[in-house]
Every structure is written in structure tokens, then in C-alpha cells.
Amino acid sequence: MKTVRIAGVPEHFNLPWHLCIENGEFEEVGIDLQWTDVPEGTGKMCQLLRDNETDIAVILTEGIVKDIVGGNPSSIVQTYVESPLIWGIHVAAESQYQTLSDLENTKVAISRYGSGSHLMAYVNAQNQHWNTETLQFEVVNTIDGAVEALTHGKADYFMWERFMTKPLVDKGIFRKVADCPTPWPCFVIAVRNEFLESNRQTIALLLEIINNTTIEFKEIPSIDRTLATKYNQKLEDIQTWLSLTKWAQKSLEEKVLNKIQNQLFDLKIIEKKGTFAEIVKAV
């Protein structure tokens, strides 16, 4: 058996991986896939890749592009979710802020620097024509940390995947003031270069298995109920999310990478751009 370490957020997007593991599909081809949940998100997963604490990460596209350009010795081998991530922009339920424009010049809670919640705060600010150079941040690590920070006034708003955050809105802990979709496919599969070079066949097998599952994922009987139960969601919310979500089974396109890098560069999030060959590797 070949041991392969993989990391991803404990969110509904990643249920296909867990189904494949539970069904023994990786084991059948000699892969012992060891999954690690990373509630802290993309910034933490970038660190795990750098520190050789995971071989693969299912990770936000903009976050791993930024980190590879910044020296992370990993590559994107495939797009995982083609559709945008819909970031909800949330305030504490009792907050004085009522609209998105009220949040200009306030402090944003982020899971960590380099994470999606950090990078998308810039994208949102640019969309709103705010001064991106005056953004203020409070590092909160996880969604629980964000609840603490917003409730106690250490930060004013928090951007997180809209559907995973909705239970907090339903409970009256957060209030959503707006949505901010990513202008690109939201999740990719990244692999440490050292691991990829010596295990290309294993990665190819692994991608084949997960792709066969994601192609048919929406057709699984009662998958909406399974997701709703597992991720504490209302059935109608999961059904909406499923209708908006499209998994991918192909490589990240060069024009998409260029779009992401151009926007990150314009926002001064990256100081230089990498080449397609440096960032994306075919398996």
C-alpha cells in the first residue's frame, strides 16, 4: 500500500473524497489515503505543503497560486470545483452595520494571512472601489474564532463560504449583508513537487477515482439529505448549494491562471507572476 496524505477543509465540497475512502476505492488500487481536516483553511494548508506535513491539498485556487508564486514547492494538478465559491460577508447579528457600504474602513476577521478570507477581502474591496491599502485585519484562525471576534467587537465583518456559515445566520449569531463570488473556479488539487515527481502514477490513479465520483456525485440517491445531515445544513440550503456547484475533472486552464495572477498582482497581493509551467503540472 502506498500511503498518501491529503488535507482539505471540513466542508460539503469534500464529501466525494470521504465517500471514496469509506467505500475502499483507493485501497482497491493500493493507496492508503489519509485525510486530515483543516478547519483553518487554505493558509494553513499552504503551510502543511511547505512543511511536508501533507502530500496533497484540496485548496482554494487564489490561495495556492499566491503561495506557489511565493515559493511553495507544489503544483496544481487539476481543478476540483469549477464553479465560484460564494463568499458570504457577515457581521455580528447585533452589529450596527446594515449594508456592505457601511463596512468600508472597518476591520475584517480572517482565518490567517494568505487564506481565502484574507485574499477575498481585497477582491471585495476592489469590487466596492474601496482603498485596498487601508484594509485592517484580525486573525481568528477558524469560524469559531470569527464568532468570538465579531461578537466581542474585535473585528467587524467576516467572509466565509455562504452555505457553511448559514447555520450561524439561522441561529441569530451572524447576519449576512452581501455575497462575493470568486471570479474564478474555487478549488484545485495541489501536490508537493517532490511527491509528484516520484509518485506520478499514484496521483493519476487517485485523480481518476475522485473524478469518477464527482462526475456522478449529484446523482447519488438522497445525496442532499446525506449532506444536510453531515454538515448541519437545512435541506433546502443544500439543494440550492448543489444546484450552484459544479465539480471539475480537468486541468486548470492557462487563461484562468492568467486572470487570477493578474488580479492578485493588481491588488499587490503578489509581487511577480509565475509561468503556467511553474504552477500547473499535467499528470
Side-chain angles (χ1 to χ4, degrees), residues 120-172:
M120 285 302 296
Y122 281 98
V123 172
N124 175 62
Q126 186 181 51
N127 290 348
Q128 301 307 313
H129 309 292
W130 298 347
N131 182 353
T132 55
E133 294 184 10
T134 59
L135 285 173
Q136 306 167 63
F137 301 105
E138 177 77 20
V139 177
V140 299
N141 293 306
T142 63
I143 195 164
D144 292 337
V147 169
E148 169 82 10
L150 265 58
T151 304
H152 294 101
K154 294 182 202 158
D156 300 300
Y157 67 104
F158 179 60
M159 297 179 65
W160 206 252
E161 201 276 335
R162 169 181 136 190
F163 292 95
M164 289 304 292
T165 320
K166 188 160 188 300
L168 293 171
V169 176
D170 293 341
K171 286 177 189 164

Short mmCIF file of all heavy atoms in Angstrom, two decimals, residues 120-172:
data_model
loop_
_atom_site.label_atom_id
_atom_site.label_comp_id
_atom_site.label_asym_id
_atom_site.label_seq_id
_atom_site.Cartn_x
_atom_site.Cartn_y
_atom_site.Cartn_z
N MET A 120 -9.85 37.31 -0.42
CA MET A 120 -11.15 37.76 -0.94
C MET A 120 -11.59 39.08 -0.32
O MET A 120 -12.40 39.81 -0.91
CB MET A 120 -12.21 36.68 -0.73
CG MET A 120 -12.08 35.51 -1.71
SD MET A 120 -12.18 35.98 -3.46
CE MET A 120 -13.87 36.61 -3.55
N ALA A 121 -11.05 39.44 0.83
CA ALA A 121 -11.33 40.77 1.39
C ALA A 121 -10.80 41.85 0.45
O ALA A 121 -11.43 42.90 0.27
CB ALA A 121 -10.70 40.91 2.78
N TYR A 122 -9.67 41.57 -0.21
CA TYR A 122 -9.12 42.51 -1.20
C TYR A 122 -10.00 42.55 -2.45
O TYR A 122 -10.26 43.63 -3.00
CB TYR A 122 -7.70 42.09 -1.59
CG TYR A 122 -6.65 42.47 -0.59
CD1 TYR A 122 -6.18 41.56 0.34
CD2 TYR A 122 -6.10 43.76 -0.58
CE1 TYR A 122 -5.21 41.91 1.27
CE2 TYR A 122 -5.12 44.11 0.34
CZ TYR A 122 -4.69 43.20 1.26
OH TYR A 122 -3.72 43.55 2.17
N VAL A 123 -10.42 41.38 -2.90
CA VAL A 123 -11.27 41.32 -4.10
C VAL A 123 -12.57 42.09 -3.85
O VAL A 123 -13.01 42.89 -4.68
CB VAL A 123 -11.57 39.85 -4.49
CG1 VAL A 123 -12.60 39.78 -5.60
CG2 VAL A 123 -10.28 39.14 -4.91
N ASN A 124 -13.17 41.86 -2.68
CA ASN A 124 -14.40 42.57 -2.34
C ASN A 124 -14.16 44.07 -2.27
O ASN A 124 -14.96 44.87 -2.79
CB ASN A 124 -14.95 42.06 -1.00
CG ASN A 124 -16.15 42.84 -0.53
OD1 ASN A 124 -17.18 42.87 -1.20
ND2 ASN A 124 -16.01 43.52 0.60
N ALA A 125 -13.06 44.47 -1.63
CA ALA A 125 -12.76 45.91 -1.51
C ALA A 125 -12.58 46.55 -2.89
O ALA A 125 -13.08 47.65 -3.15
CB ALA A 125 -11.50 46.10 -0.66
N GLN A 126 -11.90 45.82 -3.78
CA GLN A 126 -11.72 46.33 -5.15
C GLN A 126 -13.07 46.44 -5.86
O GLN A 126 -13.35 47.45 -6.53
CB GLN A 126 -10.80 45.39 -5.92
CG GLN A 126 -10.44 45.92 -7.32
CD GLN A 126 -9.54 44.95 -8.07
OE1 GLN A 126 -9.85 43.76 -8.17
NE2 GLN A 126 -8.43 45.44 -8.58
N ASN A 127 -13.93 45.44 -5.68
CA ASN A 127 -15.26 45.48 -6.29
C ASN A 127 -16.05 46.70 -5.82
O ASN A 127 -16.85 47.27 -6.58
CB ASN A 127 -16.07 44.22 -5.91
CG ASN A 127 -15.55 42.96 -6.57
OD1 ASN A 127 -14.73 43.02 -7.48
ND2 ASN A 127 -16.02 41.81 -6.10
N GLN A 128 -15.84 47.08 -4.55
CA GLN A 128 -16.59 48.20 -3.97
C GLN A 128 -15.88 49.55 -4.15
O GLN A 128 -16.35 50.57 -3.64
CB GLN A 128 -16.81 47.94 -2.46
CG GLN A 128 -17.58 46.68 -2.14
CD GLN A 128 -18.88 46.59 -2.88
OE1 GLN A 128 -19.65 47.55 -2.91
NE2 GLN A 128 -19.15 45.44 -3.49
N HIS A 129 -14.72 49.52 -4.84
CA HIS A 129 -13.92 50.74 -5.06
C HIS A 129 -13.44 51.34 -3.74
O HIS A 129 -13.33 52.56 -3.60
CB HIS A 129 -14.71 51.78 -5.88
CG HIS A 129 -15.28 51.22 -7.15
ND1 HIS A 129 -14.48 50.82 -8.20
CD2 HIS A 129 -16.56 50.94 -7.51
CE1 HIS A 129 -15.25 50.33 -9.17
NE2 HIS A 129 -16.51 50.39 -8.78
N TRP A 130 -13.16 50.47 -2.76
CA TRP A 130 -12.55 50.92 -1.51
C TRP A 130 -11.04 50.98 -1.70
O TRP A 130 -10.49 50.38 -2.62
CB TRP A 130 -12.85 49.96 -0.36
CG TRP A 130 -14.30 49.80 -0.02
CD1 TRP A 130 -15.34 50.58 -0.44
CD2 TRP A 130 -14.88 48.78 0.81
NE1 TRP A 130 -16.53 50.11 0.07
CE2 TRP A 130 -16.28 49.01 0.85
CE3 TRP A 130 -14.36 47.71 1.54
CZ2 TRP A 130 -17.15 48.20 1.59
CZ3 TRP A 130 -15.22 46.89 2.26
CH2 TRP A 130 -16.60 47.15 2.29
N ASN A 131 -10.37 51.68 -0.81
CA ASN A 131 -8.90 51.72 -0.82
C ASN A 131 -8.37 50.42 -0.22
O ASN A 131 -8.46 50.21 0.99
CB ASN A 131 -8.41 52.93 -0.01
CG ASN A 131 -6.88 53.04 -0.04
OD1 ASN A 131 -6.19 52.16 -0.53
ND2 ASN A 131 -6.36 54.12 0.51
N THR A 132 -7.82 49.55 -1.06
CA THR A 132 -7.37 48.24 -0.57
C THR A 132 -6.14 48.35 0.33
O THR A 132 -5.83 47.41 1.07
CB THR A 132 -7.05 47.30 -1.75
OG1 THR A 132 -6.10 47.94 -2.60
CG2 THR A 132 -8.31 46.97 -2.54
N GLU A 133 -5.45 49.48 0.27
CA GLU A 133 -4.23 49.62 1.07
C GLU A 133 -4.53 49.95 2.53
O GLU A 133 -3.62 49.92 3.37
CB GLU A 133 -3.31 50.68 0.44
CG GLU A 133 -2.80 50.22 -0.92
CD GLU A 133 -1.81 51.18 -1.55
OE1 GLU A 133 -1.36 52.11 -0.85
OE2 GLU A 133 -1.50 50.99 -2.74
N THR A 134 -5.78 50.28 2.84
CA THR A 134 -6.10 50.62 4.23
C THR A 134 -6.92 49.52 4.92
O THR A 134 -7.44 49.72 6.01
CB THR A 134 -6.90 51.94 4.29
OG1 THR A 134 -8.11 51.79 3.53
CG2 THR A 134 -6.10 53.10 3.72
N LEU A 135 -7.00 48.34 4.29
CA LEU A 135 -7.73 47.23 4.92
C LEU A 135 -7.05 46.84 6.24
O LEU A 135 -5.83 46.79 6.33
CB LEU A 135 -7.77 46.02 3.99
CG LEU A 135 -8.75 46.09 2.81
CD1 LEU A 135 -8.54 44.89 1.88
CD2 LEU A 135 -10.19 46.14 3.28
N GLN A 136 -7.88 46.58 7.26
CA GLN A 136 -7.37 46.16 8.57
C GLN A 136 -7.83 44.73 8.85
O GLN A 136 -8.97 44.39 8.54
CB GLN A 136 -7.93 47.06 9.67
CG GLN A 136 -7.72 48.55 9.47
CD GLN A 136 -8.61 49.32 10.45
OE1 GLN A 136 -8.45 49.20 11.66
NE2 GLN A 136 -9.55 50.09 9.92
N PHE A 137 -6.94 43.94 9.46
CA PHE A 137 -7.23 42.52 9.65
C PHE A 137 -7.08 42.09 11.11
O PHE A 137 -6.24 42.60 11.84
CB PHE A 137 -6.28 41.67 8.79
CG PHE A 137 -6.38 41.97 7.33
CD1 PHE A 137 -5.41 42.71 6.67
CD2 PHE A 137 -7.47 41.54 6.59
CE1 PHE A 137 -5.50 43.00 5.32
CE2 PHE A 137 -7.59 41.82 5.23
CZ PHE A 137 -6.60 42.55 4.60
N GLU A 138 -7.91 41.11 11.47
CA GLU A 138 -7.82 40.44 12.77
C GLU A 138 -7.77 38.94 12.49
O GLU A 138 -8.71 38.38 11.91
CB GLU A 138 -9.04 40.78 13.63
CG GLU A 138 -9.10 40.08 14.97
CD GLU A 138 -8.18 40.68 16.01
OE1 GLU A 138 -7.76 41.86 15.85
OE2 GLU A 138 -7.87 39.97 16.99
N VAL A 139 -6.66 38.29 12.84
CA VAL A 139 -6.52 36.85 12.57
C VAL A 139 -7.31 36.06 13.61
O VAL A 139 -7.09 36.22 14.81
CB VAL A 139 -5.03 36.43 12.58
CG1 VAL A 139 -4.89 34.92 12.39
CG2 VAL A 139 -4.26 37.16 11.49
N VAL A 140 -8.23 35.20 13.13
CA VAL A 140 -9.12 34.47 14.05
C VAL A 140 -9.00 32.94 13.91
O VAL A 140 -9.63 32.21 14.66
CB VAL A 140 -10.59 34.90 13.84
CG1 VAL A 140 -10.76 36.39 14.12
CG2 VAL A 140 -11.08 34.57 12.42
N ASN A 141 -8.21 32.46 12.94
CA ASN A 141 -7.94 31.03 12.71
C ASN A 141 -9.11 30.23 12.17
O ASN A 141 -8.98 29.60 11.13
CB ASN A 141 -7.38 30.35 13.97
CG ASN A 141 -6.00 30.88 14.31
OD1 ASN A 141 -5.11 30.86 13.48
ND2 ASN A 141 -5.83 31.40 15.52
N THR A 142 -10.23 30.20 12.87
CA THR A 142 -11.35 29.34 12.44
C THR A 142 -12.66 30.12 12.49
O THR A 142 -12.72 31.26 12.98
CB THR A 142 -11.49 28.12 13.37
OG1 THR A 142 -11.79 28.60 14.68
CG2 THR A 142 -10.22 27.29 13.42
N ILE A 143 -13.71 29.48 12.03
CA ILE A 143 -15.04 30.11 12.06
C ILE A 143 -15.48 30.35 13.51
O ILE A 143 -16.12 31.37 13.82
CB ILE A 143 -16.06 29.27 11.26
CG1 ILE A 143 -17.32 30.08 10.98
CG2 ILE A 143 -16.37 27.95 11.96
CD1 ILE A 143 -18.20 29.49 9.88
N ASP A 144 -15.07 29.48 14.43
CA ASP A 144 -15.38 29.71 15.85
C ASP A 144 -14.66 30.96 16.36
O ASP A 144 -15.20 31.73 17.15
CB ASP A 144 -14.96 28.49 16.70
CG ASP A 144 -15.82 27.27 16.42
OD1 ASP A 144 -16.96 27.45 15.94
OD2 ASP A 144 -15.36 26.14 16.67
N GLY A 145 -13.43 31.13 15.89
CA GLY A 145 -12.68 32.34 16.25
C GLY A 145 -13.34 33.60 15.71
O GLY A 145 -13.32 34.66 16.35
N ALA A 146 -13.95 33.47 14.53
CA ALA A 146 -14.66 34.61 13.94
C ALA A 146 -15.89 34.98 14.76
O ALA A 146 -16.20 36.17 14.95
CB ALA A 146 -15.05 34.30 12.50
N VAL A 147 -16.61 33.96 15.23
CA VAL A 147 -17.79 34.21 16.09
C VAL A 147 -17.36 35.01 17.31
O VAL A 147 -17.98 36.02 17.66
CB VAL A 147 -18.44 32.87 16.51
CG1 VAL A 147 -19.48 33.12 17.60
CG2 VAL A 147 -19.08 32.18 15.31
N GLU A 148 -16.27 34.57 17.93
CA GLU A 148 -15.73 35.24 19.12
C GLU A 148 -15.36 36.70 18.80
O GLU A 148 -15.71 37.63 19.52
CB GLU A 148 -14.50 34.45 19.58
CG GLU A 148 -13.64 35.10 20.63
CD GLU A 148 -14.17 34.91 22.04
OE1 GLU A 148 -15.11 34.11 22.25
OE2 GLU A 148 -13.66 35.59 22.92
N ALA A 149 -14.63 36.89 17.68
CA ALA A 149 -14.13 38.22 17.33
C ALA A 149 -15.27 39.19 16.99
O ALA A 149 -15.26 40.36 17.42
CB ALA A 149 -13.16 38.12 16.16
N LEU A 150 -16.25 38.73 16.21
CA LEU A 150 -17.34 39.61 15.81
C LEU A 150 -18.28 39.91 16.99
O LEU A 150 -18.73 41.04 17.16
CB LEU A 150 -18.12 39.01 14.65
CG LEU A 150 -17.70 39.48 13.25
CD1 LEU A 150 -16.24 39.21 12.97
CD2 LEU A 150 -18.57 38.85 12.16
N THR A 151 -18.53 38.88 17.80
CA THR A 151 -19.45 39.05 18.93
C THR A 151 -18.88 40.03 19.95
O THR A 151 -19.63 40.81 20.56
CB THR A 151 -19.72 37.69 19.60
OG1 THR A 151 -20.22 36.79 18.62
CG2 THR A 151 -20.75 37.81 20.71
N HIS A 152 -17.55 40.02 20.11
CA HIS A 152 -16.92 40.88 21.12
C HIS A 152 -16.28 42.13 20.52
O HIS A 152 -15.51 42.82 21.20
CB HIS A 152 -15.90 40.08 21.93
CG HIS A 152 -16.53 39.01 22.77
ND1 HIS A 152 -16.54 37.68 22.40
CD2 HIS A 152 -17.22 39.08 23.94
CE1 HIS A 152 -17.19 36.98 23.32
NE2 HIS A 152 -17.62 37.80 24.26
N GLY A 153 -16.57 42.41 19.25
CA GLY A 153 -16.13 43.67 18.66
C GLY A 153 -14.65 43.77 18.33
O GLY A 153 -14.14 44.86 18.07
N LYS A 154 -13.93 42.62 18.29
CA LYS A 154 -12.51 42.67 17.91
C LYS A 154 -12.36 42.84 16.40
O LYS A 154 -11.31 43.21 15.90
CB LYS A 154 -11.80 41.38 18.34
CG LYS A 154 -11.72 41.18 19.85
CD LYS A 154 -10.96 39.89 20.14
CE LYS A 154 -11.31 39.36 21.51
NZ LYS A 154 -11.04 37.93 21.63
N ALA A 155 -13.42 42.47 15.65
CA ALA A 155 -13.46 42.66 14.20
C ALA A 155 -14.90 42.96 13.83
O ALA A 155 -15.82 42.73 14.63
CB ALA A 155 -12.96 41.41 13.48
N ASP A 156 -15.09 43.48 12.62
CA ASP A 156 -16.42 43.96 12.24
C ASP A 156 -17.14 43.07 11.23
O ASP A 156 -18.37 43.01 11.23
CB ASP A 156 -16.30 45.38 11.68
CG ASP A 156 -15.72 46.33 12.71
OD1 ASP A 156 -16.33 46.49 13.78
OD2 ASP A 156 -14.62 46.89 12.46
N TYR A 157 -16.38 42.42 10.35
CA TYR A 157 -17.03 41.52 9.40
C TYR A 157 -16.12 40.35 9.07
O TYR A 157 -14.92 40.38 9.33
CB TYR A 157 -17.50 42.25 8.14
CG TYR A 157 -16.42 42.81 7.22
CD1 TYR A 157 -16.08 42.17 6.03
CD2 TYR A 157 -15.78 44.03 7.51
CE1 TYR A 157 -15.13 42.70 5.17
CE2 TYR A 157 -14.83 44.56 6.66
CZ TYR A 157 -14.50 43.89 5.48
OH TYR A 157 -13.56 44.41 4.63
N PHE A 158 -16.73 39.31 8.51
CA PHE A 158 -16.03 38.05 8.25
C PHE A 158 -16.57 37.45 6.97
O PHE A 158 -17.79 37.34 6.79
CB PHE A 158 -16.27 37.09 9.42
CG PHE A 158 -15.62 35.74 9.28
CD1 PHE A 158 -14.24 35.61 9.13
CD2 PHE A 158 -16.39 34.58 9.32
CE1 PHE A 158 -13.64 34.35 9.03
CE2 PHE A 158 -15.81 33.32 9.21
CZ PHE A 158 -14.43 33.21 9.07
N MET A 159 -15.66 37.07 6.07
CA MET A 159 -16.04 36.46 4.80
C MET A 159 -15.75 34.96 4.87
O MET A 159 -14.63 34.55 5.15
CB MET A 159 -15.28 37.10 3.65
CG MET A 159 -15.60 38.58 3.50
SD MET A 159 -14.69 39.39 2.15
CE MET A 159 -15.36 38.54 0.71
N TRP A 160 -16.80 34.16 4.63
CA TRP A 160 -16.66 32.69 4.67
C TRP A 160 -17.69 32.11 3.73
O TRP A 160 -18.66 32.79 3.38
CB TRP A 160 -16.88 32.19 6.10
CG TRP A 160 -16.20 30.88 6.43
CD1 TRP A 160 -16.82 29.68 6.61
CD2 TRP A 160 -14.81 30.65 6.67
NE1 TRP A 160 -15.88 28.71 6.95
CE2 TRP A 160 -14.64 29.29 6.98
CE3 TRP A 160 -13.68 31.48 6.63
CZ2 TRP A 160 -13.40 28.71 7.26
CZ3 TRP A 160 -12.44 30.91 6.91
CH2 TRP A 160 -12.30 29.54 7.22
N GLU A 161 -17.50 30.87 3.32
CA GLU A 161 -18.43 30.24 2.38
C GLU A 161 -19.86 30.37 2.90
O GLU A 161 -20.16 30.04 4.04
CB GLU A 161 -18.03 28.76 2.22
CG GLU A 161 -18.57 28.14 0.95
CD GLU A 161 -19.99 27.62 1.08
OE1 GLU A 161 -20.41 27.29 2.20
OE2 GLU A 161 -20.69 27.56 0.05
N ARG A 162 -20.71 30.89 2.04
CA ARG A 162 -22.04 31.32 2.44
C ARG A 162 -22.88 30.21 3.08
O ARG A 162 -23.53 30.41 4.10
CB ARG A 162 -22.75 31.86 1.20
CG ARG A 162 -24.21 32.13 1.35
CD ARG A 162 -24.76 32.64 0.03
NE ARG A 162 -26.02 32.00 -0.31
CZ ARG A 162 -26.62 32.13 -1.49
NH1 ARG A 162 -26.05 32.85 -2.44
NH2 ARG A 162 -27.76 31.54 -1.72
N PHE A 163 -22.83 29.01 2.50
CA PHE A 163 -23.72 27.95 2.98
C PHE A 163 -23.20 27.33 4.28
O PHE A 163 -24.00 26.98 5.15
CB PHE A 163 -23.91 26.89 1.89
CG PHE A 163 -24.68 27.41 0.71
CD1 PHE A 163 -24.02 27.93 -0.40
CD2 PHE A 163 -26.07 27.44 0.73
CE1 PHE A 163 -24.74 28.43 -1.48
CE2 PHE A 163 -26.80 27.94 -0.35
CZ PHE A 163 -26.13 28.45 -1.45
N MET A 164 -21.87 27.21 4.42
CA MET A 164 -21.33 26.67 5.67
C MET A 164 -21.56 27.64 6.83
O MET A 164 -21.59 27.23 8.00
CB MET A 164 -19.82 26.39 5.54
CG MET A 164 -19.48 25.21 4.65
SD MET A 164 -20.24 23.63 5.12
CE MET A 164 -19.41 23.30 6.66
N THR A 165 -21.71 28.91 6.52
CA THR A 165 -21.92 29.93 7.57
C THR A 165 -23.40 30.13 7.87
O THR A 165 -23.75 30.70 8.90
CB THR A 165 -21.28 31.27 7.12
OG1 THR A 165 -20.04 31.01 6.47
CG2 THR A 165 -20.99 32.17 8.33
N LYS A 166 -24.27 29.63 7.01
CA LYS A 166 -25.70 29.92 7.16
C LYS A 166 -26.30 29.43 8.49
O LYS A 166 -27.16 30.11 9.06
CB LYS A 166 -26.50 29.38 5.97
CG LYS A 166 -27.95 29.85 6.03
CD LYS A 166 -28.65 29.79 4.70
CE LYS A 166 -30.03 30.46 4.78
NZ LYS A 166 -30.93 29.86 5.74
N PRO A 167 -25.88 28.26 9.02
CA PRO A 167 -26.41 27.88 10.33
C PRO A 167 -26.20 28.95 11.41
O PRO A 167 -27.04 29.13 12.29
CB PRO A 167 -25.64 26.60 10.66
CG PRO A 167 -25.34 26.01 9.32
CD PRO A 167 -25.06 27.19 8.43
N LEU A 168 -25.08 29.68 11.33
CA LEU A 168 -24.83 30.76 12.29
C LEU A 168 -25.77 31.94 12.05
O LEU A 168 -26.16 32.65 12.99
CB LEU A 168 -23.37 31.24 12.19
CG LEU A 168 -22.31 30.23 12.64
CD1 LEU A 168 -20.91 30.72 12.30
CD2 LEU A 168 -22.43 29.95 14.14
N VAL A 169 -26.14 32.15 10.78
CA VAL A 169 -27.13 33.19 10.46
C VAL A 169 -28.51 32.76 10.97
O VAL A 169 -29.23 33.54 11.61
CB VAL A 169 -27.16 33.46 8.94
CG1 VAL A 169 -28.26 34.46 8.58
CG2 VAL A 169 -25.80 33.97 8.45
N ASP A 170 -28.84 31.50 10.73
CA ASP A 170 -30.15 30.98 11.17
C ASP A 170 -30.30 31.03 12.69
O ASP A 170 -31.39 31.23 13.21
CB ASP A 170 -30.33 29.53 10.69
CG ASP A 170 -30.45 29.43 9.18
OD1 ASP A 170 -30.75 30.46 8.54
OD2 ASP A 170 -30.21 28.33 8.64
N LYS A 171 -29.18 30.85 13.40
CA LYS A 171 -29.22 30.87 14.87
C LYS A 171 -29.20 32.28 15.44
O LYS A 171 -29.27 32.46 16.66
CB LYS A 171 -28.02 30.10 15.43
CG LYS A 171 -28.11 28.60 15.30
CD LYS A 171 -26.82 27.96 15.84
CE LYS A 171 -26.78 26.48 15.53
NZ LYS A 171 -25.43 25.94 15.69
N GLY A 172 -29.05 33.29 14.56
CA GLY A 172 -29.03 34.67 15.05
C GLY A 172 -27.69 35.09 15.64
O GLY A 172 -27.61 36.03 16.44
#
